Amino acid sequence: MSTDPAVSETGELRADLDIISRWIEPGARVLDLGCGDGTLLARLMATQGVTGYGLEINPDNVIASVAAGVNVLQLDLDDGLSQFEDDSFDVVLMTAALQEVRRPDLLLAEMLRIGRESVVTFPNFGHWKPRLSIALRGVMPISRAMPDEWYDTPNIHLCTVRDFERLCRMLGINITRRHMVNHAHRSTWGMRLLPNLLGEIALYRLRR
C-alpha cells in the first residue's frame, strides 16, 4: 500500500485518488478492496452519495475506517470474493494492492464478476528508473513509488503497463480509461506519450 497521505494538510484529496473519484458516478454502489484507513470511500460517501463497503486486513486500518464512517469487513483478498454475488456493485476499487495479491488474474476476474466496472492502480515496473537500476546497478530498484527492499516488500507480482494490458486482453477485459502519474501523483504530457517508460503509477478503469 502507498504510504503517502491520502489527504493534504489543506483537506484536498491526493491527486490520483481525486482522479478516481471523478470516475465514480454519484450514488454508485462501491466496494473498495484494501481500503486502508477508508479515506477514499469516506470522501465518496460524503461528496457523491455512494454506498458500499471496504475490505481491509490490517486491524489498525479497520479501526480507522470505522472511525471514518466506512462499513468495513476484515478480509484477506487472497481468500477471494466468493461471498459476493454477481453484479453486487457498480464499481469495485483496488488502489495500490494488485501487486500484493497471490493471483491478480483471478482477483481481476472476480472484481468484474461482482462489479459492473473496476478501477485498479499499481506501480509500473516498466518505468525508466527501475529499468536503469537493474541495467546499471544489477539490483532490485527502490523508489518513492516502490520504497521497500526486495526481501521485505509486500509486492509479490510487480508488472509493467504492457504486462497489465496484455493480461486484460487475455481475460477479455475492456480498458475504458488509462491515466499515468508520477510519485507525486501528478501527470505530464510525456507520460501520455510514453506511459510504460515515464509513468510511475498506473490508473485503469475497466469493464467486462
Side-chain angles (χ1 to χ4, degrees):
M1 296 290 187
S2 172
T3 57
D4 290 349
V7 178
S8 71
E9 293 180 358
T10 61
E12 294 181 352
L13 200 61
R14 203 175 67 200
D16 59 325
L17 300 184
D18 182 61
I19 292 166
I20 292 170
S21 70
R22 287 188 265 117
W23 289 352
I24 309 300
E25 296 291 334
R29 299 166 298 159
V30 176
L31 179 66
D32 189 355
L33 307 182
C35 67
D37 63 4
T39 295
L40 176 58
L41 191 51
R43 180 64 64 94
L44 291 172
M45 292 165 57
T47 61
Q48 293 170 234
V50 309
T51 58
Y53 300 89
L55 300 188
E56 178 58 47
I57 192 171
N58 183 298
D60 292 333
N61 282 337
V62 171
I63 293 170
S65 294
V66 172
V70 171
N71 294 316
V72 60
L73 303 173
Q74 189 171 10
L75 294 173
D76 188 340
L77 298 183
D78 284 325
D79 292 336
L81 302 174
S82 60
Q83 63 270 48
F84 298 105
E85 297 182 357
D86 295 0
D87 298 314
S88 296
F89 301 93
D90 295 311
V91 185
V92 180
L93 305 173
M94 183 165 58
T95 59
L98 180 71
Q99 72 282 357
E100 298 180 11
V101 299
R102 287 198 303 263
R103 289 296 302 270
D105 56 334
L106 300 182
L107 189 56
L108 279 173
E110 278 288 272
M111 290 171 68
L112 286 167
R113 175 185 67 80
I114 67 174
R116 181 171 52 85
E117 65 177 354
S118 295
V119 175
V120 175
T121 78
F122 58 89
N124 173 33
F125 201 66
H127 184 258
W128 68 268
K129 288 183 180 178
R131 295 191 197 195
L132 194 63
S133 179
I134 292 175
L136 297 184
R137 300 176 60 221
V139 298
M140 287 295 289
I142 296 176
S143 67
R144 279 177 282 193
M146 295 181 290
D148 301 299
E149 293 281 0
W150 67 269
Y151 51 81
D152 65 358
T153 179
N155 301 327
I156 59 175
H157 287 298
L158 291 167
C159 71
T160 71
V161 164
R162 289 180 181 174
D163 288 326
F164 181 78
E165 294 185 359
R166 179 172 176 267
L167 177 60
C168 287
R169 289 193 296 271
M170 291 172 58
L171 297 176
I173 294 173
N174 295 314
I175 297 171
T176 59
R177 297 287 298 273
R178 179 184 70 192
H179 197 92
M180 307 300 298
V181 297
N182 60 18
H183 66 271
H185 306 285
R186 302 294 177 183
S187 185
T188 67
W189 67 268
M191 294 177 199
R192 293 188 287 273
L193 183 64
L194 297 170
N196 197 42
L197 184 65
L198 300 181
E200 288 188 75
I201 301 170
L203 292 76
Y204 281 88
R205 189 175 181 179
L206 311 171
R207 293 185 71 94
R208 299 179 208 140

